[in-house]
Amino acid sequence: MSDHELNRYLSRWKKRVDKELNKLIPNIPNNKLQSAMRYALIDSGKRFRPILCIASAEAAGGAGEDVLSFACAIEMIHTYSLIHDDLPCMDNADTRRGKPSCHRAFGEALAVLAGDGLLTEAFRIMTEVALYPDHVRKNLLQAVNLISRAVGIEGMVLGQTLDISVTRAKKLPLRSLNTVNFKKTALLISASAASGAILVAGLGRVSECIRRYGENLGMAFQLMDDLHDIDKDEPSIPGIYGEKVARDLILRYINKSHKSLHGLGSRAVILHKIVDKFFNDLQVV
Ligand code: GRG
């Protein structure tokens, strides 16, 4: 697969995800809650996590369309985390996805509720059996359980809690920073990929390879983000241990991500290409 073909693949699925999200959270006049949800969600973001879910479903022998609603629900969870992360009581960010953050545009109370709404609606969509064909329905429970664990009190919510508590510490062990990255970012990316495979093929060797692929990709993803935005007030691996340590770690995670897919052969070509693109685009080396 050429780079051009991968770009076409990514842009085709991004459009498909955007169209579906637009249907799932419709524009209802005079509905402030839904307007705030749509403001944060619609026409923004790379759609990295839903596309990973779709590409993984295909790598596991299924059809991307069959997991589309589930993939959109994952994007809704991701968007909720961004809205809440930007709040004054968290990162206090004025902008997100190239425009004023949700609380800047709609006020704090509505932004909190928009995040709550996106999170809750995501679980409704993941479990709305009418949205899925029979062979996917039977795997919904396993996939939803994986996503819940990834974003819950042992996953992203705990990661964010740890992140807040380490913010004032000066020198943190690498292991603690890795734990924050793992919980805050890598678990959802890993679960996005693995859920696609679980939905079409059930739990098993293939979904396990893809889960590990996503875990390593997720760790590299967070380190890349830190590398491009070294914030002196925020403890991060490149900030505390230097860019070289971060770059070396990214290379190790990228290699492990590729290696995790070895058992899948040519079915995993798009998953490999996604790592390469992500790696090249950010010009790590
Ligand atoms: C508030 C419970 C709670 C959790 C927040 C994920 C997170 C935890 C906060 C977001 C802040 C952040 C920079 C997290 C690191 C992960 C990351 C790089 C998110 C941005 O994801 P992209 O690059 O963004 O996929 P787009 O906008 O393209 O979707």
Side-chain angles (χ1 to χ4, degrees):
M1 175 183 250
S2 66
D3 289 354
H4 178 65
E5 281 166 331
L6 178 76
N7 287 338
R8 274 185 33 204
Y9 177 90
L10 296 175
S11 109
R12 175 164 60 86
W13 277 114
K14 183 181 180 305
K15 278 197 196 119
R16 192 69 193 88
V17 166
D18 283 342
K19 194 172 165 199
E20 198 60 20
L21 283 170
N22 207 36
K23 267 182 19 200
L24 289 167
I25 309 292
N27 186 8
I28 302 172
N30 303 320
N31 183 324
K32 275 191 184 166
L33 172 63
Q34 216 135 315
S35 299
M37 288 161 71
R38 282 178 57 88
Y39 174 82
L41 181 70
I42 303 296
D43 293 331
S44 56
K46 297 182 287 298
R47 311 308 194 200
F48 181 63
R49 293 154 192 79
I51 294 175
L52 260 189
C53 176
I54 288 163
S56 298
E58 292 182 337
E65 278 292 326
D66 289 347
V67 303
L68 180 63
S69 305
F70 199 97
C72 288
I74 293 173
E75 181 66 19
M76 289 164 63
I77 295 175
H78 167 59
T79 305
Y80 125 78
S81 79
L82 300 179
I83 296 174
H84 282 194
D85 187 60
D86 291 340
L87 288 168
C89 59
M90 301 258 184
D91 256 15
N92 196 16
D94 289 336
T95 59
R96 170 65 69 180
R97 291 177 157 174
K99 59 186 181 185
S101 47
C102 191
H103 68 274
R104 282 275 164 201
F106 287 84
E108 247 180 276
L110 215 50
V112 170
L113 293 165
D116 295 341
L118 284 166
L119 175 64
T120 317
E121 193 60 5
F123 279 89
R124 185 201 52 86
I125 290 164
M126 285 190 281
T127 53
E128 195 70 66
V129 289
L131 293 170
Y132 307 96
D134 283 348
H135 67 282
V136 167
R137 272 182 208 174
K138 68 178 168 48
N139 297 317
L140 278 176
L141 199 59
Q142 293 286 3
V144 176
N145 184 258
L146 182 72
I147 297 288
S148 322
R149 281 188 278 122
V151 300
I153 63 169
E154 290 289 335
M156 187 171 71
V157 174
L158 176 59
Q160 181 77 349
T161 310
L162 296 173
D163 199 17
I164 289 169
S165 61
V166 300
T167 299
R168 279 178 195 83
K170 286 214 164 53
K171 181 88 182 172
L172 281 158
L174 199 57
R175 196 148 47 92
S176 307
L177 293 164
N178 270 326
T179 302
V180 173
N181 291 353
F182 180 71
K183 292 186 176 289
K184 189 177 83 167
T185 305
L187 276 176
L188 178 57
I189 290 180
S190 173
S192 301
S195 60
I198 291 171
L199 287 169
V200 300
L203 273 175
R205 190 186 60 85
V206 171
S207 69
E208 181 51 22
C209 291
I210 293 178
R211 190 192 62 74
R212 270 189 282 119
Y213 155 83
E215 214 168 82
N216 287 297
L217 178 59
M219 290 301 281
F221 191 89
Q222 179 60 59
L223 280 166
M224 297 275 203
D225 192 62
D226 289 340
L227 203 53
H228 283 89
D229 183 23
I230 300 178
D231 183 340
K232 296 279 172 273
D233 298 327
E234 297 271 338
S236 71
I237 290 174
I240 296 176
Y241 291 92
E243 289 194 23
K244 170 140 182 24
V245 170
R247 283 172 196 274
D248 289 349
L249 270 174
I250 291 170
L251 283 172
R252 268 177 46 198
Y253 286 123
I254 295 286
N255 282 336
K256 280 165 82 176
S257 190
H258 281 302
K259 269 195 189 146
S260 310
L261 298 173
H262 273 173
L264 304 191
S266 61
R267 286 189 293 178
V269 63
I270 290 177
L271 298 180
H272 283 295
K273 287 291 286 187
I274 286 175
V275 181
D276 291 339
K277 178 182 168 60
F278 164 67
F279 184 52
N280 292 336
D281 276 6
L282 292 167
Q283 295 170 334
V284 170
V285 284

